Amino acid sequence: MRACVPTALCLLISYGIIHLYLLHQLGSNKHDTVKSDISQTKNAIDHHVAEWFQDAKFGIFIHWGIYSVVAWADLNHDPRSEWYWYKVRVPESDEGRTANHHLLHYKNLTYEDFAKGFSTTSWNPDTWASMIKSSGAKFAVITAKHHDGFCLWPSKTSWNWNSVTVGPHMDILSRFARSMRDVHLFFGFSYSLMEWFHPLYVRDGETQSNAAINGSFVDRKVIPEIMDLLERYRPDILWADGDWERSHAYWNRDALLSHLRSRDVVTNDRWGIPREDPQSKFERGICDEEMLKFPWNFWMPISHSWGYNQLEPLRNFKIFSEISMTLARVVSCNGHVSLGISPDGNGWISHIQLERLSQLGNWFSTNGQAIFETRPWRIQRDPEDTNIVFTRNKMGSIIYAIFQEWPRDEHLHLSIDLTPREETDQIVTMLLYEVQCKFRLDADGMTIRLPSFVMLTGDATLGPWVLKFVGFR
C-alpha cells in the first residue's frame, strides 16, 4: 500500500462537515477574550506542586475514546491501539500493518465511522469511582481529548466530533467528575494539544517556519478548549500531551502554565519543545540513583498499550509485584505513579485489570503508610541491595524499608547507617502482621530477624514487604 503525505486541503475534505463548521465558527474573535485572560497571568515558570499531590503518590490514568472501539494494534510492532487512526492514515509509520488490517476487515469504513460504536452501555461512573477508591488511588485522570481530536465533552470548537453529538450522546467528563468528587477523589483530564489531521493544525505547520509561534490552531482551538475544561469542570489535574511537534512558544506554554498554577491545577511539562530543565522534569522514567528535588510523575500503562487492545494477552499485563515495587522505587525518589487502565468501547474493564487494582487495594490497606503522605528519606536505595528502597513520613520520625524478596535465612541486612534517637525507644515492626522484629546494629549497618512463621505458612510470596522503623534517624 503506497503512502502519501496528505495536504491541508485533502485533510480538510476528509474531515468534511465536522471541520467546515469548525472553521466557520472560529472565524469570530470570541477566543480573543480567552487569550487575553491567560496572558494577564503570564509569569515566570515555577515548580510548585500542590501539597495534596505530593501526598497522593498513586493515581489511575484512563485512556478511553473511539480507539477503544476498534481496539487493535499489531503486538509485534507498535502495540499502541490509541494510535490506530494515525497508523491507518500514515501507513509508513508501522510499515502498513494497521492500514492493511483496516482494509481487510473494514473496507470502506473510516475512523470517524467508529464513533457510532462508542457507547456507555457497560459504563457506570459510580462503579468506576468505587473501583478506583478501593484500589487505594488518590486521584483519577481520563483522556478528555486524545490526538484524534475526539472530545469526551461538548466542546464548542469540536462540533460533531464529541461524545454528546455522536456515539454515547453524553457529557462523559461531567459524569466522571461528579462520581470522583462523590467519593472524595481528586480528578483531572489528559488533553492532547495536537490533533493529527485537524486542518488548522496542519496549516500552521505548513505556513510557519518550524511552527515557532502560536498560530490559529492554538488561539482558536487549544486555548478555548482548555479554558472550557477549567471553567466547566474545575479539575484538580490537567496533563498536557501531544506537544512534541511544535515549540513551547507555539503552544503559548508560559502563559498557560502560569494560568493553571494560579488555579492550583497540577500539570506536567508536555507543553512544547524544548521541555523544562531535565533536573526538574516532571515526567521521566524511573530514577535509579537519587532523589529528585522536585516532585515528578511516572506514567505506567498496565499492559503494552494505553488504549484497550483486544489482542493483548494476559502475559502482557504487569503483575502485582512489578506495579507495587515500581511504585515504591518511584516514591522513594520523590515521584508519583499514574497507572494506565484501558476500558473497551462500551466502558467495560477487563478482569485482569480489576484484579490488579484489587491487589493494590489489599496491599495498601496494611502497607499504605509507607507510600501515602511520605517524603524521600536521605537514602533512596540500599547500597548493597538496590531492591530495598526507603521512604519516611512527613515529620521524619518514621522510616520505612520496602523489599520484595524474602531472605531464605530470614535475616534482612541493611547496609545503611541507622542512628538511634536518644530520646525514644528503637522499634522495628513488620507492617503486614504488626509484629516487632529483633535487630542488631553493627559497623556494617543493621540486621533484622524476620518472623519465622512467614516461611512456614507460605506467605513469603505476599510481598512487597514493609518494615517500619521508629526511633532512628
Side-chain angles (χ1 to χ4, degrees), residues 150-156 158-168:
F150 187 80
C151 297
L152 300 191
W153 86 101
S155 168
K156 294 180 181 178
S158 192
W159 178 82
N160 207 33
W161 196 231
N162 66 72
S163 62
V164 175
T165 56
V166 66

Side-chain angles (χ1 to χ4, degrees), residues 351-364:
H351 297 299
I352 187 67
Q353 297 182 80
L354 295 177
E355 180 182 66
R356 294 293 178 266
L357 295 180
S358 177
Q359 290 171 326
L360 285 165
N362 290 336
W363 188 78
F364 285 135

Side-chain angles (χ1 to χ4, degrees), residues 342-399:
S342 51
D344 75 358
N346 299 316
W348 173 80
I349 297 176
S350 66
H351 297 299
I352 187 67
Q353 297 182 80
L354 295 177
E355 180 182 66
R356 294 293 178 266
L357 295 180
S358 177
Q359 290 171 326
L360 285 165
N362 290 336
W363 188 78
F364 285 135
S365 66
T366 54
N367 299 295
Q369 63 179 278
I371 298 294
F372 303 119
E373 297 186 26
T374 62
R375 298 294 184 268
W377 191 41
R378 58 182 171 83
I379 299 171
Q380 281 65 61
R381 286 161 176 71
D382 189 281
E384 299 298 325
D385 185 351
T386 57
N387 291 316
I388 304 174
V389 301
F390 303 96
T391 63
R392 65 168 177 85
N393 67 349
K394 286 201 285 188
M395 297 297 293
S397 58
I398 300 174
I399 301 164

Side-chain angles (χ1 to χ4, degrees), residues 377-379 382 390 399 411-422 424-428 437-449 469-473:
W377 191 41
R378 58 182 171 83
I379 299 171
D382 189 281
F390 303 96
I399 301 164
H411 288 79
L412 183 71
H413 182 72
L414 303 179
S415 302
I416 59 173
D417 177 22
L418 279 163
T419 306
R421 295 178 182 268
E422 297 179 357
T424 184
D425 293 336
Q426 287 76 52
I427 301 173
V428 179
C437 302
K438 294 182 180 180
F439 63 90
R440 182 182 72 253
L441 289 169
D442 55 37
D444 295 326
M446 175 187 283
T447 301
I448 302 143
R449 179 71 165 86
F469 299 82
V470 176
F472 298 90
R473 60 168 60 89

